Amino acid sequence: MSDYNFAYLDEQTKRMIRRAILKGLAIPGYQVPFASREMPMPYGWGTGGVQVSAAVLTPDDTFKVIDQGADDTTNAVSIRRFFEKTAGVAVTEATAEASVIQTRHRIPEEVLRADQILVYQVPIPEPLRFLEPSEVETRKMHSLEEYGLMHVKLYEDISQHGAIATSYAYPVKVEGRYVMDPSPIPKFDNPKLEMAAIQLFGAGREQRIYAVPPYAKVVSLDFEDFPFEASKADHACDLCGAEDSYLDELIVDDAGGRLFMCSDTDYCSTRRKAGHVGAQGVPLGEDAA
Amino acid sequence: MIQVENLSKSFTLHNQGGTVIPVMEGAAFDVARGECVGLIGASGAGKSTLMRMLYGNYLAASGHIRIGGVDVATAQPREILALRRETLGYVSQFLRVVPRVSTLDVVAEPLLRTGHDRATAEARARELLARLNIPERLWGLSPTTFSGGEQQRVNIARGFSYDYPALLLDEPTASLDVTNREVVLSLIEEAKARGAAIVGIFHDEAARDRVCDRVIDAAAFTPKADT
Amino acid sequence: MTPLLQVENIAKFYGARVGCKDVSFDLFPGEVMGIVGESGSGKSTLLNCLAGHLTPDAGAVRFDTKTDGLRDTVTMREPERRMLGRTDWAFVHQHARDGLRMNVSAGGNVGERLMAVGARHYGQIRDTATDWLGRVEIAADRIDDRPTAFSGGMQQRLQIARNLVTGPRLVFMDEPTGGLDVSVQARLLDLLRGLVREMGLSAIIVTHDLAVVRLLADRLMVMKDGHVVETGLTDQVLDDPQHAYTQLLVSSVLQV
């Protein structure tokens, strides 16, 4: 064990953050201000998510971090190591084995359970910020449920692009009350926001925490004649053949060759281990480069 | 229809040492339906002032002006506006209109404001403009660019398009040629025939003698110089 | 007849200085009232108190609400007052950029109030916006342009469309023609006058331009040093002013 207090933050701070989390869960979608601490990593690297994770982790937890679905990017690896070192918790890349999952910009493909917590890293928590720069005004708009402006943004999308072009950070209304930014997850993930697990959102620089309790109703905003559509690349994963997962597109050579693969690396490798093979894939174990 | 009682008026010029100029005192007269009364008196006797007071344009200092059940001397602005819309018409010497509004609309407006449909209002406006010899090619233009005589005729057409129960006419035949003067006089006779109470200022004595049932000398209401 | 707006002894102080004081009047449906006075006379303070942008220090502003009749908007809860602000009331600012979202297209600007009261059909919102752009003489093909690409007069007309789209009953206007060229002013006034009549709007117009009130207002309120010095029928106040200040104001207008 290290010389750090468990999970880096002192107990008073964790208590303060837990109070904010509980308030957030009690008022789904409401942005609770909290005294965000300096963390040993720069803003934009998930300081909000890290503080929320620190406040919910217990020594018995198993921790997983994904960055755009991947467990093996610098950001994911360094946060995972951070808690390995400061909390001594077990870590995993397997979604099913994790009890706390911190994520940047994705929801895992595998359906989450009631005994799991999903912690989102949030850059800009205020969904109305795009059109209303004043925080005083946006807080008032939330408190009075004045959300017409949110549809103005969608209107602008349709008038400029012929369809709602917002493809990530797509605004939702939680439990029929607060309009919430689901963090920059692709809108493909929006339907998954109604889930069994607890979802916590932390914005470190903006000092806000908000939450979606299990099974809370989460509706993506839209127009009657332009209904919300969860979209993804019209393709199957080239590695594991999955047709239901969100895909990353990779340019693989100078001739314009491309490859689509699951953005959720754990989902993809689990399928490949089970023997699924995509169009450009090879059975697992033979592609180790 | 029009009853004036003990009406007085003075102007206080606050910015010229508070000079008070009394211009009218104890004015009183009645005008019945179908009657035309001419106001006479030398220039400065207060004819125009009296007309403006009847219309609510000048504020009475004391007394009463009852027109169609409203006391113009004490009425609220909206009551005077309703009176002007439905009861009391005024043909002034000068046409005052909004720029960009066509002549046809200017003339049709009193009818539109009183709830007549556009077709009826425009038909009446066309009829009057034709009768007053305004060339049809001008009807679509704003009268602000018209000659003085044309403007005066547009003004008259506007004053007669809606059948006001009471009418104030300030020099309606001034600057008109013989033909149009005749049209205006017959319009006045028609208005009398339908029962309108009319007060007018006519410098044109022949016109006055023809349409006025009696005259009132405004000099009778002028305050004595020594007061 | 119930007044649409009943103002009783409104007062607003800035420290020891009087913003406006002892202002009372009734405004009836379809009436247009002008408030004139020089800069600092308290006319804008008064307008902002009436429209709920400022909280008066004393007095009541009762508005004839659709559901509950006359209600004091000063003591009304904020959500209700803000709801009035985007349904039954409209506010036309002197500077279009205070009343428009400059980074949103013309169509979005007009559509905002519709969406704020629950419109959720893009096609219908767009049709209504197109119709209103036409009514304020903005070409339909400018619907997706931002107001930054518009001239001053067009911006002001867009602001009017944005405000009137929900069919308000009372419009507050703060120097609606200020800062515009004379020819542009005339067109705007003409438009406003037509809309006021056509929609049967009641309006309160603050201006220092007597020509504007002569054209638009039925009645007039003259303010000086935060107090009302004279009220009456517009043409009567302008042609036969009673108070020393009004006489000065009227006689100071340059003749053309």
Side-chain angles (χ1 to χ4, degrees):
Chain A
M1 185 71 189
S2 66
D3 294 323
Y4 291 110
N5 189 39
F6 179 76
Y8 186 78
L9 291 173
D10 62 275
E11 293 305 310
Q12 284 297 341
T13 298
K14 286 193 282 185
R15 232 170 264 153
M16 175 270 291
I17 294 172
R18 285 177 198 136
R19 277 196 294 271
I21 290 170
L22 288 172
K23 181 168 179 181
L25 284 165
I27 316 170
Y30 171 72
Q31 298 168 47
V32 186
F34 80 109
S36 180
R37 298 292 194 248
E38 290 286 335
M39 297 304 286
M41 60 187 75
Y43 288 129
W45 282 65
T47 53
V50 166
Q51 290 178 78
V52 170
S53 291
V56 299
L57 277 174
T58 68
D60 302 330
D61 274 314
T62 305
F63 190 59
K64 168 183 162 85
V65 185
I66 50 172
D67 175 2
Q68 311 246 25
D71 291 88
D72 52 5
T73 67
T74 312
N75 195 218
V77 170
S78 57
I79 291 173
R80 196 162 63 230
R81 284 196 185 146
F82 175 76
F83 282 114
E84 231 179 334
K85 185 170 181 182
T86 62
V89 291
V91 295
T92 181
E93 293 192 6
T95 302
E97 288 168 20
S99 55
V100 176
I101 303 169
Q102 181 170 332
T103 176
R104 175 174 174 271
H105 307 180
R106 271 312 309 276
I107 295 177
E109 302 294 352
E110 199 168 328
V111 175
L112 298 183
R113 303 179 311 263
D115 61 350
Q116 292 178 303
I117 296 175
L118 185 59
V119 177
Y120 295 78
Q121 301 172 197
V122 182
I124 297 168
E126 180 47 72
L128 299 163
R129 186 64 71 238
F130 169 77
L131 294 160
E132 179 51 65
S134 158
E135 173 71 13
V136 173
E137 188 61 22
T138 53
R139 286 183 74 86
K140 190 165 272 179
M141 290 159 91
H142 280 294
S143 66
L144 301 180
E145 249 185 297
E146 293 181 1
Y147 289 133
L149 201 53
M150 209 63 253
H151 273 86
V152 172
K153 182 179 187 299
L154 301 179
Y155 170 94
E156 292 289 285
D157 256 19
I158 302 173
S159 70
Q160 281 163 34
H161 309 287
I164 297 177
T166 302
S167 56
Y168 63 94
Y170 192 103
V172 295
K173 195 169 208 181
V174 186
E175 283 291 305
R177 178 58 181 84
Y178 283 95
V179 165
M180 183 188 95
D181 180 327
S183 86
I185 58 172
K187 66 178 174 182
F188 171 82
D189 283 343
N190 270 27
K192 290 190 254 169
L193 287 160
E194 290 183 350
M195 62 164 74
I198 291 174
Q199 299 173 81
L200 305 175
F201 298 78
R205 184 183 50 218
E206 303 290 324
Q207 313 200 336
R208 294 289 184 274
I209 284 171
Y210 52 102
V212 176
Y215 304 111
K217 191 169 182 308
V218 182
V219 177
S220 302
L221 302 181
D222 61 4
F223 287 102
E224 289 159 18
D225 47 345
F226 284 85
F228 171 80
E229 269 178 76
S231 62
K232 66 184 268 293
D234 188 15
H235 214 278
C237 173
D238 283 325
L239 298 182
C240 77
E243 294 183 342
D244 58 353
S245 68
Y246 190 72
L247 302 172
D248 289 338
E249 183 180 0
L250 294 154
I251 305 295
V252 291
D253 56 36
D254 290 344
R258 57 188 63 197
L259 178 142
F260 289 92
M261 58 177 284
C262 297
S263 101
D264 186 336
T265 51
D266 174 57
Y267 184 72
C268 200
S269 63
T270 305
R271 280 178 54 84
R272 291 167 74 199
K273 275 177 203 153
H276 298 280
V277 182
Q280 298 183 39
V282 287
L284 195 69
E286 295 172 26
D287 67 336
Chain B
M1 189 67 206
I2 301 174
Q3 294 169 300
V4 176
E5 252 176 61
N6 198 25
L7 194 63
S8 63
K9 172 73 187 166
S10 60
F11 292 107
T12 307
L13 307 180
H14 292 286
N15 299 307
Q16 291 174 43
T19 312
V20 178
I21 305 173
V23 291
M24 189 178 299
E25 211 173 77
F29 61 92
D30 290 353
V31 184
R33 286 176 202 280
E35 190 182 23
C36 178
V37 172
L39 291 180
I40 56 166
S43 218
K47 301 185 296 294
S48 286
T49 299
L50 181 54
M51 290 284 260
R52 282 167 170 257
M53 287 168 76
L54 293 180
Y55 198 58
N57 181 230
Y58 279 6
L59 200 64
S62 66
H64 302 284
I65 304 163
R66 294 200 180 81
I67 302 176
V70 175
D71 186 352
V72 176
T74 56
Q76 292 295 310
R78 66 193 168 90
E79 295 172 312
I80 295 181
L81 288 171
L83 183 78
R84 289 178 181 182
R85 191 166 54 240
E86 280 147 25
T87 311
L88 182 63
Y90 183 34
V91 177
S92 65
Q93 288 189 67
F94 304 101
L95 180 68
R96 186 169 232 156
V97 293
V98 183
R100 298 216 310 168
V101 177
S102 77
T103 298
L104 195 67
D105 284 346
V106 166
V107 177
E109 199 202 5
L111 287 163
L112 293 172
R113 277 197 314 192
T114 43
H116 294 75
D117 63 63
R118 185 158 275 281
T120 314
E122 285 190 4
R124 174 73 176 150
R126 285 169 189 285
E127 178 201 327
L128 280 164
L129 288 170
R131 224 176 132 184
L132 284 156
N133 302 301
I134 304 285
E136 188 162 353
R137 63 189 157 80
L138 298 181
W139 296 0
L141 307 176
S142 164
T144 42
T145 53
F146 290 6
S147 73
E150 283 164 347
Q151 289 199 2
Q152 172 70 347
R153 279 177 279 148
V154 171
N155 210 12
I156 288 165
R158 179 182 163 83
F160 283 90
S161 66
Y162 169 73
D163 289 340
Y164 293 104
L167 264 176
L168 307 175
L169 308 174
D170 194 350
E171 299 274 17
T173 55
S175 71
L176 293 185
D177 58 34
V178 183
T179 323
N180 286 312
R181 175 175 172 275
E182 183 56 35
V183 176
V184 173
L185 292 178
S186 45
L187 280 172
I188 296 171
E189 282 163 351
E190 287 162 28
K192 281 173 67 180
R194 65 168 168 79
I198 301 174
V199 180
I201 300 174
F202 300 88
H203 281 137
D204 174 352
E205 283 184 33
R208 188 202 302 153
D209 292 345
R210 177 164 150 196
V211 296
C212 292
D213 301 296
R214 60 196 166 92
V215 296
I216 293 170
D217 189 350
F221 313 135
T222 309
K224 304 297 163 277
D226 58 4
T227 51
Chain C
M1 188 150 75
T2 315
L4 185 67
L5 192 73
Q6 202 173 48
V7 177
E8 198 179 300
N9 289 321
I10 284 295
K12 177 76 187 173
F13 302 96
Y14 298 107
R17 206 165 60 75
V18 176
C20 62
K21 194 168 180 286
D22 299 330
V23 182
S24 301
F25 66 89
D26 287 350
L27 187 76
F28 287 83
E31 259 187 329
V32 177
M33 188 172 88
I35 303 178
V36 296
E38 58 201 6
S39 304
S41 61
K43 55 191 197 301
S44 288
T45 295
L46 174 62
L47 191 75
N48 283 310
C49 284
L50 301 180
H53 298 171
L54 281 176
T55 308
D57 295 314
V61 180
R62 293 187 201 91
F63 179 73
D64 186 19
T65 60
K66 276 179 187 149
T67 45
D68 306 313
L70 284 175
R71 297 267 320 273
D72 185 0
T73 62
V74 176
T75 54
M76 180 183 270
R77 285 172 55 239
E78 193 181 11
E80 292 180 275
R81 190 164 55 238
R82 281 174 69 115
M83 181 54 103
L84 278 181
R86 53 180 196 271
T87 54
D88 271 348
W89 292 356
F91 198 105
V92 177
H93 293 264
Q94 174 176 7
H95 301 291
R97 56 183 60 245
D98 295 335
L100 290 174
R101 292 196 190 275
M102 300 305 280
N103 57 349
V104 167
S105 70
N109 264 292
V110 177
E112 181 177 347
R113 271 169 79 111
L114 295 170
M115 294 183 246
V117 294
R120 291 292 179 268
H121 192 284
Y122 175 82
Q124 285 165 10
I125 292 166
R126 203 162 165 85
D127 288 347
T128 310
T130 308
D131 175 47
W132 266 97
L133 290 180
R135 290 171 77 167
V136 299
E137 302 170 21
I138 294 175
D141 63 3
R142 303 299 302 270
I143 190 168
D144 293 327
D145 291 350
R146 292 185 175 185
T148 39
F150 287 3
S151 68
M154 277 174 80
Q155 288 182 0
Q156 206 59 313
R157 295 202 301 278
L158 179 62
Q159 196 192 173
I160 288 163
R162 170 181 158 89
N163 268 284
L164 298 189
V165 67
T166 48
R169 291 187 291 152
L170 176 59
V171 185
F172 300 100
M173 297 188 219
D174 190 3
E175 303 274 10
T177 58
L180 297 177
D181 291 340
V182 187
S183 57
V184 177
Q185 258 190 37
R187 186 173 177 195
L188 187 72
L189 286 175
D190 194 11
L191 177 78
L192 275 175
R193 198 170 147 276
L195 289 170
V196 162
R197 182 161 308 168
E198 191 185 314
M199 300 176 71
L201 296 174
S202 303
I204 298 178
I205 303 171
V206 160
T207 180
H208 62 269
D209 189 338
L210 299 183
V212 168
V213 287
R214 195 186 272 278
L215 209 57
L216 286 179
D218 300 320
R219 46 191 280 231
L220 209 53
M221 182 181 260
V222 184
M223 292 190 73
K224 179 168 170 51
D225 301 333
H227 291 80
V228 175
V229 296
E230 184 164 354
T231 63
L233 201 61
T234 302
D235 59 284
Q236 182 258 299
V237 173
L238 294 180
D239 292 342
D240 184 18
Q242 306 294 306
H243 190 274
Y245 175 69
T246 319
Q247 289 184 359
L248 181 67
L249 202 64
V250 170
S251 63
S252 305
V253 175
L254 298 174
Q255 302 286 326
V256 264

